[in-house]
Amino acid sequence: MALHDPAAPPAGRWQFWIDRGGTFTDVVARDPRGRLHTRKLLSENPERYRDAALQGIRDLLGVAGDAPIPAARIAAVKMGTTVATNALLERKGEPTALVTTRGFRDALRIGYQNRPDLFDLAIRLPEMLYREVAEVDERMSAAGETLAELDVAGARRTLETLHARGFRSLAVVFLHGYRYPAHEAAVAGMAREMGFTQVSVSHEASPLMKLVSRGDTTVVDAYLSPILRRYVERVAGELGEARLLFMQSHGGLTDARRFQGKDAILSGPAGGVVGMVRTAEMAGHGRVIGFDMGGTSTDVSHYDGEYERAFETEVAGVRLRAPMMRIHTVAAGGGSILHFDGSRFRVGPDSAGADPGPACYRRGGPLTVTDCNVMLGRLQPAHFPRVFGPAADQPLDGAVVRERFAALAAEISAATGGARTPEQVAEGFLAIAVENMALAIKQISVARGHDVSGYLLNCFGGAGGQHACRVADALGMKRVLLHPFAGVLSAYGMGLADLRVLKEQAVEAELTANLLPVAAAALDRLAAAAEAELTAQGVAPEAVRIARRLHLRYAGSDSSLLVEFGDSTAIRGAFEAAHRRQYGFLSHDRAIVVEALQVEAAGGGEAIPAPELPPAEGRGPDSLPRLETVEAVFDGVRLPTPVFDRARLRPGDRLAGPAIVVEATATTVVEPGWEGEPTSRGDLLLTRVTPLPARVAIGTRVDPVLLEIFNSLFMSIAEQMGAVLEKTAHSVNIKERRDFSCALFDGAGELIANAPHVPVHLGSMSESIK
């Protein structure tokens, strides 16, 4: 695929924007004439190439696999990679030793008191990433008093022992080291002199309070950075002098030499969020929900003027206290398997994957969400890539899908006593999948106080366009955007991203008039350091944008909110507005605490203006070039549905739903009541033109589809109640051990739904209500 881009790179030089995913590697390249090209390669294909990203570059430059890459022809390579994520998931990082304050060797293993699964009788402690722990005599108090001097000779002997045992990666985590780093710095200096090749210290990796999460983050950095560095060096070695940048988890690019393990966990998905935001902004939309639906899962994200980040997360059983894009993943994709358990329909969480894949893939796979779309005529085998069968040259198998749904419909009718057609069964499962995805979006928007009805749904990923209108309807949203590069938007986002530096400093003091000048001076120091890092990476000083923010919370609680720095009135007003929006209440009798300062410096991103395509002249709805007209099922009715080739549509064309739009990497379904319009930028904008019918109450007859949908809704309410209680509580028993229960009851005090909280409360709660 090639599109002209007026903002071309220097004459004769290419840019490459790459998302190296777990299954596929996507490449978007801008050639010297300003045209954009795409490639999609398997990330692992050792018979053909050593590295998919480098092979994509070679393919587009026309360079043989054994020939060196001509660095002089490349302006920049911008990459996101799952190398660190995969190493963490598979526990294949560098053998790492932890050095900590004497008496605290087991602090990270003990961790917090929280129990992720309250009903698990066999409690499994998370696997530690470090192989060995060594203690050093030293101790600082929280107030900065030296309780025990650093035993320099003892520390040296400890490091020599670890070095002799073969360790070359070291994590140094001392009590209160985030605020008083002298002891950590001294031990790190000794370790580097001794030949340790990776030394991560907590006051650099995570300079914030909380020993456990700070320590975990430091260990992750020591565990992953060597793996990442070897990959970066291999890529850089083949690219020679070409500029190489990597995407960090917080959504900013950085020079390859500054790329660290702790910042690489969401490297690829962060590019998708940047692509989602920037393409929506270029189309004139500032409030956006990102909807990235693939084969196994769906990633959703929220944007309202600034990137949303989580500052304490858990990934693959490991706690991390480092800024990451707030991305919520739900196990609902095109390959999610359909289940009927005798009384209700369920979709996922298990997936058919790529092998065997859905039933229609001709590999004997189970029925999935993709098969629902084939059964209902929303996916047309004639307009889907012919890559199936033994010779990889056959279309999707519609016959086996119809046969399997007919058998399932008979099984459901026998179990429930109600007759259902195969189409009704497929629509029921599809409704549940849509509700699961809508609930995921509610968790990152409605549950956090945002009304999404006025937002744009920016849809990308291979399966998103088939469900975008229905997901939007479930949320009351009225506009959906599909970019021309929606299938490779994470890679496209690499090209649109800024270089970014985030700096943080712990404060832990009450917000008072006396604190503000001190905070302002500290923010200025952080800003100067962040700006210096950006300019060292080639960003012009006048292009650097600085944002100064505070992490604030009520005294006694653990969950902070991020607000812009300003005068005392503005800071308090912003905090109270954010707290009321997210949690629904204020505590005027509690002091506000400044937990930490944050500075974000950004700049150096490229403007990539899209072309202005000429409008179609005099083409009415009946004169649009259609490939054919097929029959598809919408809300139980079989309707004639035109099929359009997206490449042949022009600005000004209007597609009235129902309609199907096909392209090389995706299929988009325009539902009845919706209208599709190609824009002058090449986007496809879907708009609801017919208001949704008013919702009506259901009767007493149990419907297995509505049963599952309302079960999900009621569970979601109970879980959201628990999340608010956990984040705003003073008690350690509540905020860590989750010693509470939240549930929903009817007017008679009977239990409707309960979140997975302490069951003993639930046994008495109904009686108490009655």
Side-chain angles (χ1 to χ4, degrees):
M1 182 176 185
L3 287 178
H4 177 67
D5 172 16
R13 302 180 73 189
W14 289 67
Q15 280 208 26
F16 293 94
W17 313 325
I18 303 170
D19 174 28
R20 188 190 187 282
T23 305
F24 286 102
T25 292
D26 296 337
V27 182
V28 178
R30 189 167 62 172
D31 70 20
R33 296 171 59 188
R35 293 173 302 179
L36 299 178
H37 309 260
T38 63
R39 285 288 187 279
K40 190 179 280 280
L41 301 90
L42 284 170
S43 292
E44 300 294 336
N45 195 347
E47 295 81 12
R48 287 200 55 227
Y49 43 77
R50 283 183 60 204
D51 184 85
L54 294 171
Q55 184 62 36
I57 293 173
R58 282 193 166 91
D59 288 348
L60 286 159
L61 290 177
V63 175
D66 55 352
I69 293 174
R73 295 178 59 190
I74 300 174
V77 175
K78 303 176 181 180
M79 280 186 68
T81 176
T82 57
V83 167
T85 316
N86 293 343
L88 183 61
L89 291 170
E90 298 167 13
R91 295 298 193 263
K92 292 182 178 178
E94 190 79 356
T96 300
L98 169 65
V99 176
T100 191
T101 305
R102 186 167 302 283
F104 289 85
R105 64 179 301 119
D106 295 320
L108 302 191
R109 173 161 289 284
I110 294 168
Y112 300 122
Q113 296 187 53
N114 57 331
R115 295 172 290 172
D117 189 348
L118 290 173
F119 304 114
D120 192 346
L121 297 179
I123 297 173
R124 299 168 186 82
L125 290 172
E127 181 184 349
M128 294 292 100
L129 299 182
Y130 55 82
R131 289 196 182 176
E132 199 163 311
V133 188
E135 294 178 316
V136 169
D137 286 313
E138 73 81 39
R139 183 76 180 266
M140 300 292 292
S141 75
E145 180 186 357
T146 303
L147 302 179
E149 291 286 354
L150 173 65
D151 179 2
V152 176
R156 187 175 295 279
R157 287 194 298 272
T158 297
L159 294 176
E160 287 171 347
T161 302
L162 292 173
H163 194 273
R165 292 170 63 85
F167 288 102
R168 295 297 180 269
S169 186
L170 201 67
V172 183
V173 184
F174 289 157
L175 204 65
H176 307 301
Y178 70 99
R179 183 171 281 180
Y180 309 107
H183 290 177
E184 286 190 353
V187 171
M190 279 188 269
R192 293 185 180 108
E193 289 174 11
M194 215 170 282
F196 285 90
T197 54
Q198 174 64 40
V199 182
S200 297
V201 288
S202 78
H203 69 269
E204 293 175 356
S206 181
L208 299 172
M209 196 172 78
K210 292 187 180 179
L211 175 68
V212 173
S213 49
R214 172 166 56 91
D216 279 345
T217 306
T218 310
V219 171
V220 166
D221 194 59
Y223 183 74
L224 296 180
S225 289
I227 304 294
L228 202 60
R229 187 164 57 244
R230 285 194 284 273
Y231 178 72
V232 168
E233 287 173 354
R234 180 154 61 83
V235 173
E238 296 214 32
L239 291 175
E241 297 300 314
R243 191 182 189 202
L244 178 60
L245 302 168
F246 278 89
M247 175 61 72
Q248 301 169 94
S249 298
H250 58 60
L253 293 165
T254 190
D255 186 274
R257 291 163 295 186
R258 298 172 181 264
F259 195 34
Q260 294 177 267
K262 70 180 179 67
D263 296 322
I265 305 299
L266 293 183
S267 177
V273 177
V274 174
M276 173 271 291
V277 168
R278 292 290 301 274
T279 53
E281 286 183 334
M282 288 190 289
H285 305 277
R287 303 168 76 201
V288 198
I289 295 292
F291 174 59
D292 177 8
M293 184 179 180
T296 303
S297 62
T298 296
D299 292 337
V300 298
S301 50
H302 171 267
Y303 180 81
D304 184 10
E306 62 181 40
Y307 292 114
E308 290 198 344
R309 299 186 178 99
F311 293 90
E312 189 157 0
T313 52
E314 184 170 314
V315 180
V318 178
R319 295 163 294 239
L320 281 165
R321 195 170 169 85
M324 296 187 185
M325 285 292 194
R326 192 184 294 275
I327 299 169
H328 183 62
T329 301
V330 62
S336 294
I337 298 173
L338 315 181
H339 301 276
F340 175 69
D341 62 7
S343 61
R344 64 188 181 124
F345 290 20
R346 289 188 299 109
V347 177
D350 47 342
S351 171
D355 186 12
C360 59
Y361 278 19
R362 298 181 181 271
R363 290 180 180 173
L367 286 175
T368 68
V369 172
T370 296
D371 296 306
C372 292
N373 286 302
V374 173
M375 181 70 214
L376 298 169
R378 296 161 175 264
L379 270 183
Q380 290 291 320
H383 302 291
F384 204 86
R386 300 171 71 93
V387 294
F388 306 100
D393 60 354
Q394 293 180 269
L396 294 172
D397 189 344
V400 74
V401 171
R402 289 187 290 274
E403 178 185 313
R404 299 277 293 279
F405 268 111
L408 183 58
E411 177 191 340
I412 292 168
S413 296
T416 63
R420 286 177 178 269
T421 66
E423 289 81 4
Q424 287 174 324
V425 170
E427 280 209 297
F429 280 113
L430 196 59
I432 292 166
V434 166
E435 190 63 33
N436 288 344
M437 291 181 280
L439 285 174
I441 292 173
K442 287 178 181 177
Q443 286 194 31
I444 52 103
S445 57
V446 178
R448 301 183 64 242
H450 304 289
D451 176 8
V452 296
S453 60
Y455 280 61
L456 174 82
L457 187 68
N458 196 344
C459 176
F460 53 109
Q466 299 159 33
H467 311 91
C469 291
R470 294 195 61 168
V471 169
D473 279 344
L475 296 160
M477 302 174 74
K478 299 175 178 63
R479 294 170 300 168
V480 176
L481 185 75
L482 293 114
H483 189 268
F485 290 130
V488 292
L489 202 69
S490 290
Y492 192 64
M494 306 297 169
L496 298 169
D498 284 307
L499 281 81
R500 289 180 187 270
V501 174
L502 267 72
K503 295 281 187 185
E504 293 183 312
Q505 179 181 319
V507 176
E508 294 299 329
E510 184 179 339
L511 177 65
T512 62
N514 292 334
L515 179 67
L516 288 182
V518 178
L523 285 167
D524 287 343
R525 288 193 297 272
L526 291 175
E531 184 174 357
E533 282 194 29
L534 275 190
T535 53
Q537 296 180 64
V539 180
E542 63 272 12
V544 176
R545 306 184 305 278
I546 302 285
R548 294 169 170 83
R549 305 186 183 106
L550 305 176
H551 288 275
L552 301 179
R553 57 178 171 79
Y554 278 126
S557 75
D558 271 358
S559 299
S560 63
L561 297 170
L562 203 61
V563 302
E564 295 291 328
F565 183 71
D567 60 40
S568 180
T569 304
I571 291 171
R572 287 179 181 275
F575 172 74
E576 290 180 351
H579 199 278
R580 185 184 292 279
R581 183 175 68 241
Q582 186 156 338
Y583 301 125
F585 70 95
L586 298 177
S587 296
H588 295 292
D589 57 334
R590 291 162 65 186
I592 298 173
V593 172
V594 180
E595 182 179 281
L597 311 175
Q598 184 198 87
V599 162
E600 180 174 357
E606 298 185 45
I608 307 177
E612 289 293 321
L613 301 174
E617 296 294 338
R619 296 210 304 203
D622 297 329
S623 61
L624 297 181
R626 60 184 66 186
L627 298 173
E628 64 172 324
T629 298
V630 299
E631 285 197 340
V633 178
F634 296 91
D635 293 324
V637 181
R638 191 175 292 275
L639 299 173
T641 305
V643 180
F644 299 97
D645 179 356
R646 181 168 175 175
R648 296 170 62 187
L649 297 174
R650 294 291 177 267
D653 291 342
R654 290 186 179 274
L655 320 176
I660 296 172
V661 181
V662 297
E663 54 189 302
T665 57
T667 296
T668 300
V669 177
V670 184
E671 298 276 339
W674 285 77
E675 187 175 83
E677 180 184 359
T679 72
S680 60
R681 307 176 57 83
D683 300 325
L684 181 61
L685 182 64
L686 309 182
T687 307
R688 175 159 273 287
V689 290
T690 305
L692 275 171
R695 300 193 175 194
V696 295
I698 62 169
T700 54
R701 180 178 174 81
V702 176
D703 181 295
V705 175
L706 287 175
L707 182 66
E708 176 63 11
I709 289 174
F710 276 91
N711 175 59
S712 297
L713 287 170
F714 293 145
M715 279 291 291
S716 175
I717 291 169
E719 287 170 352
Q720 288 173 37
M721 291 160 60
V724 170
L725 181 59
E726 184 180 338
K727 288 184 178 297
T728 57
H730 286 212
S731 164
V732 172
N733 264 354
I734 290 178
K735 62 192 177 188
E736 287 189 12
R737 298 189 72 243
R738 297 169 72 201
D739 189 4
F740 61 84
S741 296
C742 293
L744 210 59
F745 297 85
D746 66 14
E750 300 295 340
L751 178 68
I752 295 174
N754 65 271
H757 299 152
V758 177
V760 66
H761 300 158
L762 297 166
S764 61
M765 206 184 299
S766 179
E767 297 303 318
S768 302
I769 290 171
K770 289 176 182 178

